[in-house]
Amino acid sequence: MEVKLWNDKRDREMYDNFADLYAIIKTTEKLEKAYVRDLISSAEYEPECLKLLAQFKTLTSTLKVIVPSVDRFMDTYKMDCPAALNRLVTSGVPATVEHRQASAGANNTSAATVAECVQYFITAMDTLKLNMYAVDQVHPVLADLLASLNKLSILPPDFEGRVKMKEWIARLSKMGAADELTEQQSRQLHFDLESSYNLFMAALPNLGS
């Protein structure tokens, strides 16, 4: 006897979306383990992870009413995927971005890298000034800024700008792609960007020491 999981087209679409979310989480878990075990290179890992993150954000935005909590979804379907949960929900960026390797050595203190950081700070602040508050508009510029800051290995690990960007990215990763920052959130983010930028500029004279 065949058992139908859905009664109409809407139910079928919901279960199809559930299957897609399940697959994204499982695939991310396998990708994270493969990267940690050095089975794939950073160059192979990062684009695949970015694609999964984008798919996850789009899908969870669509399902936010039915699936308000990814943790609960994973509990319901008995999914033991801690690495995927960390990457998709907590971090929101690939491990290569979060922990950018300082492989470029002294080149990471170059004027070009500093200029790149300044550019991303300004881009992030301008994004908010232009009233672009949607998660899929704000998240990418913050991720670019964090990746740029991570290239400057001479900055201390607890540099306030880096810490704050990680916190904001983690917060945005728990929201849907179409969700928007509230006025209070956007003002706080702009304040954090501005203060972090000022601290960054103040640190520049010490970069060569």
Side-chain angles (χ1 to χ4, degrees):
M1 178 180 173
E2 183 180 352
V3 178
K4 293 186 67 175
L5 294 174
W6 55 83
N7 297 315
D8 53 35
K9 185 178 179 181
R10 180 177 295 179
D11 279 353
R12 177 169 185 170
E13 184 176 348
M14 180 185 73
Y15 281 108
D16 283 346
N17 285 333
F18 281 4
D20 288 340
L21 181 58
Y22 186 95
I24 289 170
I25 294 170
K26 281 290 190 181
T27 302
T28 303
E29 182 73 13
K30 290 181 180 178
L31 181 67
E32 290 295 305
K33 288 182 177 179
Y35 178 64
V36 168
R37 293 169 182 168
D38 207 23
L39 298 176
I40 58 173
S41 67
S42 297
E44 293 171 313
Y45 164 82
E46 189 166 325
E48 287 301 316
C49 189
L50 286 169
K51 182 172 73 174
L52 287 166
L53 284 163
Q55 292 171 338
F56 176 78
K57 284 184 180 303
T58 301
L59 191 54
T60 50
S61 178
T62 303
L63 294 171
K64 64 181 178 180
V65 175
I66 307 170
V67 185
S69 169
V70 175
D71 298 60
R72 193 176 304 168
F73 176 87
M74 292 174 66
D75 286 341
T76 300
Y77 292 98
K78 304 292 189 294
M79 301 182 73
D80 183 22
C81 301
L85 184 64
N86 175 66
R87 187 61 49 216
L88 296 170
V89 178
T90 305
S91 173
V93 294
T96 45
V97 173
E98 189 178 30
H99 308 293
R100 182 66 68 185
Q101 298 172 347
S103 57
N107 291 334
N108 286 346
T109 65
S110 70
T113 307
V114 170
E116 183 181 84
C117 290
V118 171
Q119 175 190 332
Y120 285 132
F121 266 119
I122 293 172
T123 299
M125 289 187 281
D126 284 349
T127 297
L128 298 176
K129 288 178 183 177
L130 292 171
N131 299 322
M132 298 169 68
Y133 301 143
V135 170
D136 59 359
Q137 293 172 320
V138 179
H139 187 282
V141 295
L142 295 188
D144 285 341
L145 173 56
L146 179 60
S148 187
L149 290 172
N150 283 337
K151 290 179 184 178
L152 279 173
S153 56
I154 199 167
L155 288 174
D158 60 348
F159 174 66
E160 186 175 332
R162 183 184 287 142
V163 173
K164 285 188 179 294
M165 291 312 103
K166 283 183 178 181
E167 291 173 351
W168 274 106
I169 287 172
R171 191 177 308 172
L172 292 172
S173 297
K174 295 177 183 177
M175 300 166 64
D179 290 346
E180 293 194 353
L181 296 175
T182 64
E183 183 180 352
Q184 183 178 358
Q185 287 174 323
S186 63
R187 288 182 64 179
Q188 184 62 51
L189 175 54
H190 189 275
F191 176 82
D192 288 344
L193 282 166
E194 197 166 30
S195 60
S196 297
Y197 175 71
N198 290 335
L199 287 171
F200 175 78
M201 295 302 290
L204 292 185
N206 301 320
L207 285 178
S209 61

